[in-house]
Amino acid sequence: MGVRKKERAEQIKEAKKSLAFAKLNNCPTSPRKMRLVADLVRGQKVEKALQILKFSNKEASRRVEKLVLSAISNWQEKNEDASIEDADLFIKEIRVDGGSMLKRLRPAPQGRAHRIRKRSNHVTVVLGAKDNTQSK
């Protein structure tokens, strides 16, 4: 059992080396608000996604825009010889997971206290390149 797990873990590690991704941990925005922005750009081409994020009014879109730019630069590091325009990059996967929660107390009437949960999230962006060799 241990050998199979180790081999599978190494396969996953090798597959991740070829992917271009970026992660943002403990972003102080609620996951629900961040998912609204993530749903706008999921599956879009990178150029179109950046335009959508640039002209969106939501604060979370600024953070996602910066994250997508980071993923693009990570892709460029792995593929120095290829250009972005020829690669036809798109957002293959964008995931928003709940992060740690800060718990605070707010005074309430009659000596009581209500708990306030300040949520945070983790965002992961994975880029994919469409293969033009198959279509030719």
Side-chain angles (χ1 to χ4, degrees), residues 59-127:
E59 183 213 342
S61 66
R62 308 289 174 258
R63 298 172 199 259
V64 174
E65 181 183 10
K66 202 170 179 181
L67 191 64
V68 170
L69 288 171
S70 176
I72 291 170
S73 70
N74 290 344
W75 183 86
Q76 282 178 328
E77 285 179 14
K78 290 183 180 182
N79 308 320
E80 288 114 9
D81 55 337
S83 68
I84 297 172
E85 293 82 18
D86 296 339
D88 207 18
L89 288 176
F90 69 101
I91 296 179
K92 185 176 184 179
E93 181 182 348
I94 183 165
R95 216 174 34 244
V96 180
D97 302 319
S100 59
M101 206 180 305
L102 297 175
K103 293 178 177 153
R104 300 288 180 255
L105 293 176
R106 172 150 298 165
Q110 298 180 354
R112 294 190 187 99
H114 291 173
R115 183 175 286 163
I116 303 295
R117 294 183 303 264
K118 297 190 174 193
R119 300 173 189 272
S120 68
N121 63 53
H122 307 311
V123 186
T124 308
V125 174
V126 178
L127 296 183

